[in-house]
Amino acid sequence: MLTIRGLTRPGLEPFDLELAAGEAVAVLGASGSGKSIMLRAIADLDPNDGIVAHGTRARNDMAAPEWRRLVTYLAAESGWWGEKVSSHFDDPAAGQSLFPALKLANDAMNWDVPRLSTGERQRLALARVLTLTPQIMLLDEPTSGLDAETVRAVEAVLQERLEAGAGMLFVTHDEDQARRFARRCLRLSAGRVTEGVL
């Protein structure tokens, strides 16, 4: 589903990867090792070189917005530009339908952004990504600020998307979480990517 050949940018050595439909690959490494840089390069958010394709369609043959709906990046700290949560959703009803599973209050769509906790921002940003129904999810520490019960809830939602055929690359510092989702991992050290098993 996702094919990468020789993808590189400053701070990231060239690497290859194939990610199948319904497969998760964990991305592991110390802080500053290049994990976020790698995800941003795949999403084409920063200048990069190499070949990236979704199925038979090369990234360079698509308009950037189309690529980013198919292959969607969730930053560790997502941007918020409007005063209300609802202003960040193209389809607020679709976002709200995800709130119970993500342990968010039903009225969270009406909340003011400044009142959100870190964990609420994290889950609302994930809901925003999921409403796009991406084929590939690039998730940068999607559960890092959450308590154990909420982590389990988020993982259940992500597992449903995998079972529905989405692919996932996810950054985590929790090797137990990596093993719950993935059999393969990418380990980064100073921008060098090596593939391994969990």
Side-chain angles (χ1 to χ4, degrees):
M1 177 181 279
L2 181 71
T3 303
I4 297 171
R5 295 285 180 266
L7 185 64
T8 184
R9 55 144 289 175
L12 180 68
E13 294 184 16
F15 76 99
D16 300 341
L17 177 69
E18 290 192 3
L19 179 70
E23 182 183 18
V25 172
V27 181
L28 307 171
S31 296
S33 60
K35 301 181 300 296
S36 299
I37 284 174
M38 184 187 74
L39 295 189
R40 288 181 60 85
I42 297 168
D44 205 23
L45 293 169
D46 300 320
N48 62 87
D49 294 302
I51 297 170
V52 185
H54 178 266
T56 60
R57 300 186 66 196
R59 182 181 66 183
N60 290 347
D61 294 337
M62 297 186 207
E66 182 183 5
W67 176 257
R68 291 173 192 150
R69 288 185 79 88
L70 282 172
V71 181
T72 305
Y73 171 65
L74 176 65
E77 294 183 16
S78 291
W80 298 86
W81 54 88
E83 189 68 22
K84 292 281 188 184
V85 168
S86 59
S87 65
H88 301 87
F89 285 80
D90 292 337
D91 186 344
Q96 190 169 13
S97 72
L98 295 164
F99 288 180
L102 293 172
K103 295 199 171 295
L104 289 161
N106 284 331
D107 64 344
M109 199 62 76
N110 300 318
W111 291 352
D112 292 331
V113 169
R115 67 148 280 185
L116 300 176
S117 70
T118 299
E120 288 166 345
R121 286 176 186 249
Q122 201 167 15
R123 284 172 286 152
L124 285 164
L126 177 60
R128 190 168 71 204
V129 163
L130 294 176
T131 62
L132 301 174
T133 59
Q135 295 297 302
I136 302 291
M137 298 178 288
L138 308 174
L139 307 178
D140 198 345
E141 298 191 59
T143 62
S144 62
L146 306 179
D147 61 60
E149 181 181 355
T150 311
V151 167
R152 287 193 295 273
V154 170
E155 287 183 351
V157 171
L158 295 176
Q159 186 62 47
E160 286 179 3
R161 293 300 174 105
L162 287 170
E163 291 170 2
M168 183 170 74
L169 277 173
F170 69 103
V171 172
T172 182
H173 289 283
D174 181 347
E175 296 222 11
D176 289 335
Q177 181 180 61
R179 281 188 286 272
R180 286 195 294 272
F181 275 102
R183 294 181 179 177
R184 290 194 295 152
C185 67
L186 299 178
R187 294 186 184 273
L188 278 92
S189 178
R192 184 170 181 268
V193 181
T194 56
E195 186 170 335
V197 295
L198 289 164

